[in-house]
Structure formats: structure tokens, C-alpha cells
């Protein structure tokens, strides 16, 4: 086991990359060098890291020479092109994009849920979608205790999931609307999806489209949640369905989740106990005191918050809950750095 790693952050100037740098400042991972990579546009930009000035470099294949761990969050096309270049040069890649997630050769990992999958890595490990990750943290302890027959999730996703430009778009539209610009005159260039034809305002709105539409009129974001859940839980028989909605929140994804467990013997208090003891989860559930998870309070926290746990009115084995987490941390940057820490602990960084 090498003592100290050289770590590269690809997409270091983005919404996720910026948080990756913060997570690397806090990590227990022994590090030698940290290299920040982005496009030509940002080359030369200075970033303070642990009191030192690091200069952002333009991403080229040779950027990975001498790198042991490369954290990617610059979009699927960059991962497609450059992750193999990093692996070729001996790095292990933790990729935040959806590009490799469903590749059977690539482990899809939430460290609290399926760290053992890391043992199968061949150089690339995929970080799941933000909305999937927080749902897995909340549901895995319930699945282990009672099995999961089905789950129905509706998401309330923050704009930071769509990048820095989407955050700016929300702020600009909100100011314009408050200053008198009518809704039909608000300028929209990014949301609901940068890759789609039409754009709608997000300020004071709710958009039931995240990513572009795909099979059976579900969006790709919805398909990501469905397929990734089955892969992480290693169970294709779980019935999963999702409705993903973008709301005018800057950070913190919220989810209303309905589950039906398989086995007999569960009740609300046992489910609450499981969440209270679950790694990475915090139970916030006291209706008498109006205690429940909230997006604003999740910002800059690494945990997943779970509350509003109720039995379904009609279905004995059915439960409802509200699950919230910082999409840029547990949903992206923290989960990636946590994967790197786990790889180190399991001696799986090939150096
Ligand atoms: P963002 O704020 O728009 O940042 C994009 C980053 O990619 C910037 O650092 C940008 O650098 C860099 N980049 C763009 N084109 C590049 C190129 N040709 N070569 C090198 N770097 C390039 O986006 P973000 O929110 O951080 O998300 C980035 C990606 O991470 C997304 O596309 C998505 O695939 C993934 N993501 C995953 C999750 C998750 O749930 N796991 C959550 C959010 C995002 P410049 O400053 O030079 O433009
Ligand atoms: C591209 O909130 C979101 O929009 C989800 C995060 C995201 C992803 C992802 O992680 O699935 C934004 C943009 C992707 C992608 O497909 O890689």
C-alpha cells in the first residue's frame, strides 16, 4: 500500500468539483499532490487548497501521468473520452456522470450500502445519481430487515444538480420576477434540461422534467433511479418507479418515498429504529415538535436525513417517508471522496 496518493479532480471549477475540493480538504485519505483540471476556459484560475494556491490546468490525456486517483465530474462525454486515458496511465477513476453507471464491468457504489462491490473494479468506479444515493442510504437498512417489494418515489430536486449555470439562472429569474418581470418574459436558457429544445423558468415554478424524455415517457433521470436502485441492491425484482421534479431550491434534494416491504413483523417504530442506527442516516421525525428533514438544513452536511415516517392508511406493509440530503455532497462530491477513502481502506487503489 502506497502511503500518499496523487489525486486529480476533473471538472474542478464546477458545482460538484468545487465541493470535491472541499471534501479533499477534510479527507483522511493520505495525499501527496492534488491536481485541478477543467477546460481551456478555466486554465490558469487559482484555487486555495489547505492554504496553498493551486492553479487549474487544461485537461489533456497526459494530465493523468503519475495520478493514482481521478475524480471525474465534467459531464458524460468527458468521462467517456478521458476516464480510459486515466486508467491507461494507472489511475483509478471515480466517475460522477451517468456514462459508466450501468456498465456491468463497473461497480456502482454507495459506501454505506455496497462497499464489497469495489473489489470487482477494473479501474473505473461509478458514483450513482444524487437522487438514487440518498434513497439507498435510507432504504438499505429496511431492505436488509424486511426485504423490499416495491418503491414509488417522487423527487423535489435542487437546481445545483444541473450545475453552476442553473443556480445562476434561478437567482437571476427570481430577482427579475420580484422586480416586476412577468412570468412569460423571464429568460430561460438551461432548465429543465440543457440538452432539450425548450426551456422554462424555474423561479417560483416546479418542472416535472429532469434530463430528457426516454422510453415510455419517463425521463432519463427517472430511468437512472429505477435502474441504479436494482443494480446497487442487486435485485432486479424490486418494483421501482420514479417521478423527478426540479424545484426552485438551490441545494438539497428532497424525496417523498413510498415502500412496501416483503416480510411480516415491521411497524413504524421498528422502521424508525433501523433508520436511527443506519450508517450515514439521521432520523429527524417528531411531528409533535414539527421536526422533519428540510433541504436548507441539509446544506453542507454529509448525512441523509429521514423523517415523516408513517404507515400507509390501507396497506399493512406500506410506509411513507421524506428523505433529504445535500445533492452536491452525499449526492456527488462526498460519496466520491468516501469511495476513494474506502478504496484506500480496502487496499484497492492500484499503485
Ligand atoms: P458545472 O457546474 O456546469 O461544471 C462543469 C465542470 O466541467 C466545470 O469544471 C467545467 O470546466 C468542466 N468542463 C466542461 N467542459 C469541459 C471540457 N471540455 N474539458 C474539461 N472540463 C470541462 O456542472 P456540475 O454540476 O459540476 O456537474 C458536472 C457533471 O457531474 C454533470 O454533467 C454530471 O454528469 C455530473 N453530476 C453528477 C451528480 C451525481 O448525482 N452524482 C450530480 C451533479 C452532477 P470549465 O470551468 O472550464 O468550464
Ligand atoms: C447530468 O440533479 C440532476 O440533474 C442530476 C445530476 C446530473 C447527472 C447525473 O448525475 O445523473 C446532472 C447532469 C447527469 C448525468 O447524467 O451524468
Amino acid at each position: 500500500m502506497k502511503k500518499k496518493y496523487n489525486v486529480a479532480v476533473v471538472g474542478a471549477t464546477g458545482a460538484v468539483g468545487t465541493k470535491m475540493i472541499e471534501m479533499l480538504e477534510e479527507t483522511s485519505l493520505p495525499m501527496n499532490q492534488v491536481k485541478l483540471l477543467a477546460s481551456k476556459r478555466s486554465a490558469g484560475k487559482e484555487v486555495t487548497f489547505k492554504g496553498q494556491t493551486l492553479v487549474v490546468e487544461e485537461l489533456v490525456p497526459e494530465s493523468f501521468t503519475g495520478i493514482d486517483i481521478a475524480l471525474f465530474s465534467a459531464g458524460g462525454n468527458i468521462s467517456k473520452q478521458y476516464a480510459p486515458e486515466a486508467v491507461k496511465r494507472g489511475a483509478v477513476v471515480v466517475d460522477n456522470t451517468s456514462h459508466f453507471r450501468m456498465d456491468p464491468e463497473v461497480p456502482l457504489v454507495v459506501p454505506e450500502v455496497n462497499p464489497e462491490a469495489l473489489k470487482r473494479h477494473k479501474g473505473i468506479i461509478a458514483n450513482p445519481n444524487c437522487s438514487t444515493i440518498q434513497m439507498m442510504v435510507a432504504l438499505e437498512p429496511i431492505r436488509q430487515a424486511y426485504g423490499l417489494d416495491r418503491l414509488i418515489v417522487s423527487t423535489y430536486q435542487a437546481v445545483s444538480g444541473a450545475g453552476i449555470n442553473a443556480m445562476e439562472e434561478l437567482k437571476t429569474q427570481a430577482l427579475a420576477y420580484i422586480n416586476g418581470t412577468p412570468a412569460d418574459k423571464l429568460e430561460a436558457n438551461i432548465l429543465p434540461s440543457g440538452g432539450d429544445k425548450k426551456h422554462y423558468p424555474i423561479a417560483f415554478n416546479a418542472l416535472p422534467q429532469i434530463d430528457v424524455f426516454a422510453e415510455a415517457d419517463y425521463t432519463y433521470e427517472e430511468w437512472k433511479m429505477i435502474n441504479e436502485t436494482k443494480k446497487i441492491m442487486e435485485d432486479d425484482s424490486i418494483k421501482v418507479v420514479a417521478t423527478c421534479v426540479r424545484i426552485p431550491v438551490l441545494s438539497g434534494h428532497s424525496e417523498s418515498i413510498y415502500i412496501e416491504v416483503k416480510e411480516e413483523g415491521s411497524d413504524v417504530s421498528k422502521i424508525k429504529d433501523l433508520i436511527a442506527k443506519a450508517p450515514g442516516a439521521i432520523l429527524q421525525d417528531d411531528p409533535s415538535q414539527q421536526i422533519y428533514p428540510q433541504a436548507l438544513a441539509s446544506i453542507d452536511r454529509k448525512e441523509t436525513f429521514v423523517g415523516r415516517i408513517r404507515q400507509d392508511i390501507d396497506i399493512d406493509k406500506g410506509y411513507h417517508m421524506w428523505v433529504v440530503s445535500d445533492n452536491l455532497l452525499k449526492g456527488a462530491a462526498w460519496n466520491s471522496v468516501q469511495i476513494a477513502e474506502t478504496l484506500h481502506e480496502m487496499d484497492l487503489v492500484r499503485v
Side-chain angles (χ1 to χ4, degrees), residues 288-308:
S288 72
Q289 301 300 315
Q290 291 174 275
I291 302 290
Y292 39 73
Q294 295 177 41
L296 261 186
S298 76
I299 293 176
D300 286 338
R301 298 285 305 263
K302 295 184 177 113
E303 304 90 343
T304 295
F305 301 90
V306 186
R308 298 294 325 274

Side-chain angles (χ1 to χ4, degrees), residues 1-7 24 26-32 68-71 92-94 109 111 115 118-119 121 125 334-351:
M1 193 187 291
K2 190 167 163 178
K3 278 214 185 70
K4 288 186 172 182
Y5 303 108
N6 294 327
V7 179
L24 288 174
E26 295 175 14
T27 184
S28 58
L29 191 71
M31 290 183 300
N32 187 18
D68 304 303
I69 301 173
L71 309 176
V92 52
V93 167
V94 182
V109 175
L118 288 172
K119 289 182 181 161
H121 90 79
I125 294 124
W334 166 233
N335 199 67
S336 294
V337 171
Q338 199 185 10
I339 287 173
E341 288 180 1
T342 314
L343 284 167
H344 165 66
E345 284 156 19
M346 294 170 80
D347 200 12
L348 291 169
V349 185
R350 296 180 306 187
V351 286

Side-chain angles (χ1 to χ4, degrees), residues 18-93:
T18 306
K19 292 289 173 182
M20 279 177 169
I21 296 167
E22 278 180 39
M23 293 298 101
L24 288 174
E25 284 192 305
E26 295 175 14
T27 184
S28 58
L29 191 71
M31 290 183 300
N32 187 18
Q33 182 206 357
V34 172
K35 190 184 255 192
L36 305 183
L37 301 165
S39 80
K40 212 181 208 163
R41 293 181 292 275
S42 294
K45 200 178 154 192
E46 294 186 348
V47 175
T48 305
F49 181 78
K50 292 189 177 177
Q52 284 183 311
T53 303
L54 300 182
V55 180
V56 176
E57 297 172 35
E58 183 187 352
L59 172 66
V60 289
E62 294 70 34
S63 305
F64 299 104
T65 305
I67 294 296
D68 304 303
I69 301 173
L71 309 176
F72 274 69
S73 71
N77 287 332
I78 297 295
S79 294
K80 180 183 178 185
Q81 192 182 340
Y82 288 93
E85 298 289 348
V87 173
K88 205 159 78 184
R89 289 169 176 79
V92 52
V93 167

Side-chain angles (χ1 to χ4, degrees), residues 162 169 190-194 196 198-200 207 209-211 246:
E169 185 163 271
I190 295 166
L191 294 167
S193 167
D196 216 338
K198 290 186 184 172
H199 301 291
Y200 303 117
L207 296 170
Q209 180 192 351
I210 297 183
D211 211 330
R246 189 80 68 188

Side-chain angles (χ1 to χ4, degrees), residues 69-192:
I69 301 173
L71 309 176
F72 274 69
S73 71
N77 287 332
I78 297 295
S79 294
K80 180 183 178 185
Q81 192 182 340
Y82 288 93
E85 298 289 348
V87 173
K88 205 159 78 184
R89 289 169 176 79
V92 52
V93 167
V94 182
D95 182 35
N96 249 276
T97 79
S98 54
H99 185 72
F100 294 105
R101 286 182 196 149
M102 295 314 296
D103 183 332
E105 300 276 287
V106 174
L108 182 64
V109 175
V110 181
E112 292 90 341
V113 175
N114 62 340
E116 293 296 306
L118 288 172
K119 289 182 181 161
R120 294 187 282 103
H121 90 79
K122 297 189 169 74
I124 301 177
I125 294 124
N127 192 84
N129 171 266
C130 35
S131 298
T132 312
I133 294 176
Q134 65 186 67
M135 185 163 78
M136 295 302 95
V137 172
L139 298 189
E140 175 63 10
I142 305 171
R143 189 193 69 83
Q144 279 181 20
Y146 300 109
L148 274 181
D149 183 39
R150 77 179 310 184
L151 60 99
I152 301 172
V153 56
S154 296
T155 70
Y156 302 66
Q157 294 183 221
V159 294
S160 57
I164 282 178
N165 294 341
M167 297 171 83
E168 285 311 311
E169 185 163 271
L170 168 58
K171 290 181 201 168
T172 307
Q173 289 170 356
L175 273 175
Y177 191 72
I178 285 168
N179 288 321
T181 305
D184 62 352
K185 293 281 184 300
L186 290 174
E187 193 183 326
N189 301 308
I190 295 166
L191 294 167

